[in-house]
Amino acid sequence: MPSMPVWPGGVKTELVMWHCPGWASESGKAGAWKPRVGECPAFTERMAKYFKGRVDAYQLYHEVNLQGMMNGADMNFIIDEIFINGGRAIRKVYDAN
């Protein structure tokens, strides 16, 4: 893994996850589409493994208040699947070792 530059001022990084890859969505389309159950936490875990030690914070969803940002999903899906299960996936990575 390439090393990230360290800035003297202590710049912190945040990884913002936004939109769904086509292979993970219910519609088969990439973008603002609802992911299949289980795909978001699995993808989030892979992202956390790759960026562990190089990212200071994760934002699991962007503009969650706009329905058009995740077509086909309701707030319960976003809370349960994206925030809770996605957050647990990241925590699992950071709690390991």
Side-chain angles (χ1 to χ4, degrees):
M1 227 182 301
S3 63
M4 300 294 284
V6 178
W7 302 99
V11 173
K12 303 287 185 177
T13 58
E14 176 184 34
L15 178 67
V16 179
M17 297 188 192
W18 187 25
H19 284 179
C20 182
W23 55 262
S25 74
E26 286 184 348
S27 69
K29 299 176 187 175
W33 299 97
K34 179 182 175 184
R36 292 187 311 270
V37 172
E39 291 292 351
C40 183
F43 183 66
T44 301
E45 182 177 350
R46 289 194 303 272
M47 295 290 282
K49 284 178 180 176
Y50 183 79
F51 287 106
K52 184 177 180 178
R54 300 185 290 156
V55 170
D56 297 293
Y58 294 85
Q59 185 182 130
L60 297 180
Y61 199 59
H62 182 70
E63 300 282 353
V64 72
N65 58 316
L66 300 176
Q67 174 59 38
M69 297 301 281
M70 189 176 291
N71 294 301
D74 63 12
M75 190 52 68
N76 289 330
F77 178 86
I78 293 169
I79 290 169
D80 294 340
E81 185 71 1
I82 307 297
F83 293 145
I84 294 174
N85 293 339
R88 286 178 179 155
I90 292 170
R91 178 54 45 210
K92 180 176 131 183
V93 170
Y94 278 78
D95 284 347
N97 303 7

